[in-house]
Amino acid sequence: MNFHVLTLFPDMIIQGLYTSVVGRALKAGTIHLEAVNIRDYTLDKHKKVDDYPYGGGAGMLMQAQPVYDAFRAVRKSVYERRGEVPLRVVYLTPCGKTFHQDMARELAREEDLVLLCGHYEGIDERVLEEIVTDEVSIGDYVLTGGELPAMVLVDAVSRMVPGVLGNQVSGESESFCKNLLEYPQYSRPEVWRDKRVPEILLSGDHARIEQWRLEQSLERTSLRRPELYESWVSENQEYFRKKAKREERMRKKEEKARKAAQNACIL
């Protein structure tokens, strides 16, 4: 997968992403990253890319021309490699749809993804209308630019690309997979500050462990993200029917064992 980031601060993008898991994937060639400096495409001899907004108002606005020409350069390189294919262009903006895991999974299917980072008071609306296919926000707050949101998106999307994670199952089973938060995890030592690892995780019974993890995920999600929990419940009624039957069998088994113990005492 190829990420093309249109930005005023390419060094910020490169330095921020060439580390950790994403950095290893970039160095291995599993994914590719191009940070395109929008200033390189301005016609202004002083490399100026902004101007005052029409109608007045505070701050400066990024001009349409350098953004458009930077995009055209990326599009040209993609067309030379793949032919004239449609390009997804994501503008990182507080006005966009809130980014989520399903969106990351969807974007990971793209072979090329263009990310546009705004700055100052934003970007001239005309170029957004011309090139942008998706507007995405990473939350209801305002940052100084789109670079941090772009890096968040690249990180999240990259994890969905086969070969990026050493264990692909990890990417599929972590938080927000199937609308549930991740279950609690434990590592060595078995006891730390008088806190023990739950016994079930030491049992070696993988079926019971998976059941425990699901129950922990459900409990955590219901407490911390009730809207996600309700969504999961509405789509997984069969789980609760099976759980009720399982608990009823267990109750009968315990009742039978209790009566057997009472009879043994009488004898």
Side-chain angles (χ1 to χ4, degrees):
M1 183 173 187
N2 306 289
F3 295 96
H4 312 271
V5 184
L6 308 182
T7 173
L8 297 179
F9 301 96
D11 289 346
M12 183 177 178
I13 298 293
I14 297 298
Q15 292 171 10
L17 289 171
Y18 266 87
T19 57
S20 189
V21 172
V22 174
R24 288 197 296 271
L26 287 167
K27 292 167 187 174
T30 309
I31 57 176
H32 301 274
L33 173 67
E34 176 188 23
V36 179
N37 192 340
I38 295 171
R39 291 187 190 278
D40 291 342
Y41 295 89
T42 180
L43 302 179
D44 185 87
K45 64 181 181 180
H46 301 296
K47 297 295 183 181
K48 184 181 177 183
V49 296
D50 62 326
D51 210 328
Y52 294 102
Y54 281 116
M60 306 288 277
L61 197 67
M62 288 177 65
Q63 297 170 294
Q65 175 270 316
V67 172
Y68 185 64
D69 286 352
F71 165 73
R72 288 207 311 166
V74 169
R75 185 178 62 183
K76 181 173 182 289
S77 69
V78 172
Y79 283 3
E80 289 173 349
R81 174 166 44 85
R82 297 178 54 200
E84 295 192 12
V85 294
L87 272 180
R88 292 284 288 274
V89 181
V90 177
Y91 175 41
L92 286 311
T93 169
C95 299
K97 294 181 180 178
T98 303
F99 187 58
H100 52 76
Q101 192 64 27
D102 286 343
M103 192 184 296
R105 192 172 292 109
E106 177 202 344
L107 292 175
R109 300 190 187 106
E110 301 292 330
E111 185 173 336
D112 289 273
L113 189 62
V114 181
L115 307 178
L116 174 58
C117 303
H119 233 273
Y120 310 120
E121 293 303 309
I123 301 176
D124 189 307
E125 186 69 19
R126 291 169 295 184
V127 71
L128 300 180
E129 293 172 351
E130 189 74 21
I131 71 173
V132 170
T133 60
D134 304 82
E135 293 191 350
V136 174
S137 167
I138 64 166
D140 294 334
Y141 47 87
V142 180
L143 299 170
T144 56
E147 284 74 21
L148 288 174
M151 286 189 278
V152 167
L153 191 144
V154 170
D155 188 291
V157 171
S158 294
R159 296 172 64 82
M160 298 293 101
V161 176
V164 169
L165 297 179
N167 178 8
Q168 192 62 32
V169 175
S170 175
E172 296 169 358
S173 62
E174 289 180 350
S175 293
F176 301 110
C177 182
K178 299 179 181 178
N179 278 332
L180 291 180
L181 301 183
E182 190 176 21
Y183 47 80
Q185 303 249 39
Y186 302 86
S187 186
R188 295 180 181 178
E190 188 175 322
V191 180
W192 179 77
R193 293 178 65 86
D194 296 328
K195 296 178 184 290
R196 301 187 63 86
V197 173
E199 290 296 327
I200 182 66
L201 299 179
L202 308 175
S203 68
D205 188 331
H206 296 293
R208 289 181 59 217
I209 289 172
E210 287 304 309
Q211 181 62 35
W212 179 87
R213 285 174 169 170
L214 176 56
E215 290 170 357
Q216 292 293 310
S217 287
L218 286 167
E219 181 179 350
R220 176 171 286 187
T221 307
S222 68
L223 292 172
R224 301 182 186 181
R225 295 292 301 275
E227 77 283 6
L228 292 179
Y229 177 77
E230 291 301 325
S231 177
W232 193 91
V233 168
S234 66
E235 296 173 4
N236 293 273
Q237 287 298 308
E238 184 63 22
Y239 165 80
F240 293 99
R241 284 192 286 269
K242 289 181 178 179
K243 181 182 179 183
K245 290 179 180 179
R246 187 168 59 249
E247 290 175 347
E248 178 64 15
R249 288 196 300 269
M250 183 63 69
R251 187 191 65 76
K252 289 180 178 179
K253 184 177 179 180
E254 290 174 351
E255 180 67 16
K256 184 177 180 180
R258 186 181 63 79
K259 290 181 178 179
Q262 287 177 341
N263 291 335
C265 289
I266 293 173
L267 295 174

